[in-house]
Amino acid sequence: MPDLLGAYVERLDVIGNISLDLTRYPDHRGGARLGGAALFLSLAATKAGRRATPVCVLGSDLAHLPETPELDTLDWSARLQAEGTSTTFDLAYDLQGELVSVRTDYGVAEALTEHALGHVDTYPRATFHVCCRRPLDVAAVLGLLVQTAADFSVDFFLPSAEAMIRAASPWLPAATTLFVNAAEFQLLDQAVDCGTLPEVVVTDGPRAAVVRRFGHQVASAVPPPHAAREVSGAGDTLAGTFLAHRLRGATTARALAEATAAASRYVAAPPLPIPAPRRG
């Protein structure tokens, strides 16, 4: 048991969705791909040197993901396998990479809250990141994390950010780090006193990302320029990279520089294909 105990203490447990995505752009970029904040954030953290596990619910159509060679660096021990279809997102962007519309079928992710609460009960000393997205009951999950005095960080998704920030607001001052984009920061500033928040990372696409600590800017970094092929998942990549470096002892400035560089590389790389199930 001591080895298992040490293993989960040294990892990042990412509560969120893994999905089948369709992205659309006016210039015909995009297409079908793997998605989900829990996947992108866990992959980025792992690549940056922090073991990570997605606390997610996989449908029958993605049951084979843990066997996929490109994803075998992840710790899949916190997944729940369920009968039914995985979450799907249909995401439309404009040419500047701003999300225009989203259509969602949550599928088996409707069971995510119950699964996440059970996981927190089992591993209260773990370090958590909560992707505050529907259909997760963020009040229940964040309330339990605060009750157990767990270390946790959070992020949001713009289409649901106003409601999720409002639901999460009583517990946000207890979070180690919040990740928001510029539009979400405006919503955050309306819901809570940002001077009470220990660390907020604010991104703004290709423009400078900044870190605010108790309302004061303490670091900034401009992402290296790369032509964007796919922007969905860039924020998750930045968050996972930042958390991994901070958890390994990097300064805030160094972690932000590494995170913006990783996100910039991500948007220029090919998207994750949906792997075919193994035969035999």
Side-chain angles (χ1 to χ4, degrees), residues 14 27-28 46 50 59 69 79 84 107 120 124 131 145 156 163-164 172 177 193 227 234 253 255 269-270:
V14 183
D27 57 2
H28 306 297
T46 300
R50 182 74 176 195
R79 79 188 188 281
V120 174
C131 305
L145 289 171
F156 300 94
M164 288 294 179
L172 294 181
T177 309
D193 177 1

Side-chain angles (χ1 to χ4, degrees), residues 146-165:
V146 171
Q147 179 184 326
T148 57
D151 289 333
F152 69 95
S153 53
V154 302
D155 77 290
F156 300 94
F157 181 46
L158 187 55
S160 61
E162 185 172 9
M164 288 294 179
I165 289 172

Side-chain angles (χ1 to χ4, degrees), residues 10-260:
E10 292 300 320
R11 78 185 180 196
L12 179 64
D13 291 19
V14 183
I15 298 172
N17 296 321
I18 293 181
S19 56
L20 295 164
D21 289 1
L22 178 63
T23 60
R24 308 170 187 269
Y25 297 84
D27 57 2
H28 306 297
R29 283 178 292 145
R33 41 160 270 170
L34 274 180
L39 178 63
F40 292 132
L41 205 144
S42 296
L43 282 172
T46 300
K47 189 171 183 179
R50 182 74 176 195
R51 186 163 165 253
T53 182
V55 183
C56 64
V57 185
L58 294 180
S60 307
D61 44 6
L62 292 181
H64 59 291
L65 282 193
E67 304 169 2
T68 304
E70 295 82 1
L71 302 176
D72 60 7
T73 57
L74 294 183
D75 175 351
W76 288 98
S77 63
R79 79 188 188 281
L80 174 66
Q81 190 62 58
E83 292 296 323
T85 57
S86 299
T87 303
T88 61
F89 286 99
D90 187 329
L91 302 155
Y93 293 89
D94 63 20
L95 288 174
Q96 288 70 47
E98 300 293 332
L99 187 62
V100 176
S101 66
V102 56
R103 289 184 292 175
T104 310
D105 182 347
Y106 296 112
V108 296
E110 297 287 357
L112 178 59
T113 297
E114 182 180 358
H115 176 51
L117 292 173
H119 184 80
V120 174
D121 274 332
T122 304
Y123 301 106
R125 289 177 51 208
T127 300
F128 294 92
H129 179 83
V130 184
C131 305
C132 295
R133 325 283 175 92
R134 296 188 175 113
L136 188 70
D137 183 341
V138 296
V141 172
L142 296 185
L144 181 58
L145 289 171
V146 171
Q147 179 184 326
T148 57
D151 289 333
F152 69 95
S153 53
V154 302
D155 77 290
F156 300 94
F157 181 46
L158 187 55
S160 61
E162 185 172 9
M164 288 294 179
I165 289 172
R166 188 165 56 248
S169 59
W171 299 279
L172 294 181
T176 58
T177 309
L178 284 73
F179 295 90
V180 292
N181 64 25
E184 292 161 354
F185 180 73
Q186 298 303 315
L187 297 172
L188 179 68
D189 195 38
Q190 296 168 17
V192 299
D193 177 1
C194 288
T196 66
L197 303 177
E199 188 170 73
V200 182
V201 179
V202 186
T203 59
D204 195 10
R207 292 164 289 278
V210 301
V211 179
R212 299 180 183 274
R213 189 164 295 147
F214 297 110
H216 301 287
Q217 183 173 317
V218 297
S220 67
V222 177
H226 283 291
R229 298 177 59 173
E230 180 63 80
V231 300
S232 179
D236 305 314
T237 299
L238 183 145
T241 306
F242 182 89
L243 289 171
H245 283 281
R246 290 291 280 142
L247 289 167
R248 295 175 61 205
T251 65
T252 303
R254 174 63 184 273
L256 186 63
E258 294 285 353
T260 53

